Amino acid sequence: MATADIYADLKRDHDKQRDMLKELAGLKGDGAKRKKLFEAFRIEVQSHAAAEEESLYATMLGEPELRDDARHSVSEHKEIDDLLGEMMDLDFASDEWESKFFHMRHRYEHHIDEEEEEMFPAAEKELDDATEQKLADIYEERKPIEAKEAKANPPGGDERD
C-alpha cells in the first residue's frame, strides 16, 4: 500500500460522495433506484464520519488550536445524520424527499468544502507527519468496521453516539 495520508484519504472519500450526490440529484421520480443509491450513500457517509471522528477529530479535540474546528465538524456530522434519518422515512419518489435531499446535499457539500479548505490545512500545520500517518492508519482500519456498523444502525438514531 502507498504511504497513507489522512487528508488524501478523506478527500478521496469526499470526491466519491460528491459523485454519489450528483448521481442522486439526477434521478427524478425513480424511487427504487433512488433508495438503492441513497442507502449506499448513507453507509458511505456514516462510515466516513465515524472513522474520521475516531481518527482525525479525536486528535484535534486534544489540541487547543484545533478543538473548535473539531467540535464544529462533529456537530455538522450529527446534523447530516439527522437529515439522513428524516429522509429514510419519506417516499423516495416524492417531491418532499427531493426537497429534503437538496437541503441535505447543500449542508453536506458545505461541510466537506469547509473541511478541505479550512480544517485540513489548519490540522496539517499543527500535527506532525508521524501523527498524520497514525491517523491515516486508524482511519483506514476503522472505515470498513464502521461501514458494517452503518449497515446495522439506521441514521439519525442514538446507537452511534
Side-chain angles (χ1 to χ4, degrees), residues 7-75:
Y7 311 110
D9 287 348
L10 297 170
K11 172 82 167 72
R12 189 171 29 259
D13 280 359
H14 290 170
D15 290 343
K16 177 181 178 180
Q17 294 157 10
R18 285 182 181 102
D19 289 345
M20 294 173 90
L21 286 167
K22 184 177 180 181
E23 188 177 347
L24 273 165
L27 297 175
K28 302 291 182 194
D30 187 341
K33 200 169 187 180
R34 257 187 192 167
K35 185 175 183 175
K36 183 177 180 183
L37 180 55
F38 180 78
E39 179 65 4
F41 173 76
R42 76 110 187 143
I43 291 168
E44 168 63 26
V45 168
Q46 283 185 286
S47 61
H48 167 88
E52 184 176 52
E53 289 174 13
E54 293 169 13
S55 58
L56 182 60
Y57 291 177
T59 299
M60 289 177 67
L61 286 167
E63 297 286 332
E65 295 294 319
L66 301 172
R67 189 173 295 137
D68 288 343
D69 284 341
R71 286 180 180 152
H72 175 75
S73 287
V74 168
S75 72

Side-chain angles (χ1 to χ4, degrees), residues 3-161:
T3 301
D5 178 338
I6 185 64
Y7 311 110
D9 287 348
L10 297 170
K11 172 82 167 72
R12 189 171 29 259
D13 280 359
H14 290 170
D15 290 343
K16 177 181 178 180
Q17 294 157 10
R18 285 182 181 102
D19 289 345
M20 294 173 90
L21 286 167
K22 184 177 180 181
E23 188 177 347
L24 273 165
L27 297 175
K28 302 291 182 194
D30 187 341
K33 200 169 187 180
R34 257 187 192 167
K35 185 175 183 175
K36 183 177 180 183
L37 180 55
F38 180 78
E39 179 65 4
F41 173 76
R42 76 110 187 143
I43 291 168
E44 168 63 26
V45 168
Q46 283 185 286
S47 61
H48 167 88
E52 184 176 52
E53 289 174 13
E54 293 169 13
S55 58
L56 182 60
Y57 291 177
T59 299
M60 289 177 67
L61 286 167
E63 297 286 332
E65 295 294 319
L66 301 172
R67 189 173 295 137
D68 288 343
D69 284 341
R71 286 180 180 152
H72 175 75
S73 287
V74 168
S75 72
E76 287 184 342
H77 282 181
K78 176 66 173 143
E79 177 189 355
I80 298 301
D81 194 63
D82 289 345
L83 287 169
L84 295 174
E86 292 171 20
M87 293 172 70
M88 295 291 292
D89 294 335
L90 300 174
D91 175 356
F92 283 83
S94 71
D95 290 341
E96 185 180 8
W97 188 92
E98 190 167 318
S99 176
K100 183 76 70 174
F101 167 76
F102 282 105
H103 172 69
M104 180 278 299
R105 180 183 183 187
H106 172 77
R107 294 297 302 135
Y108 191 67
E109 287 178 336
H110 164 79
H111 168 74
I112 59 180
D113 289 346
E114 192 173 64
E115 282 184 332
E116 292 172 6
E117 294 166 12
E118 298 171 22
M119 194 177 85
F120 296 171
E124 199 166 14
K125 284 182 187 175
E126 295 292 322
L127 303 176
D128 62 36
D129 291 347
T131 299
E132 290 173 348
Q133 176 64 46
K134 180 181 171 190
L135 297 178
D137 292 344
I138 293 167
Y139 181 80
E140 291 170 3
E141 177 185 325
R142 292 301 309 167
K143 188 161 182 228
I145 295 166
E146 291 301 335
K148 289 177 185 173
E149 286 291 317
K151 286 178 187 175
N153 291 291
D158 291 334
E159 296 86 1
R160 301 187 61 81
D161 289 345

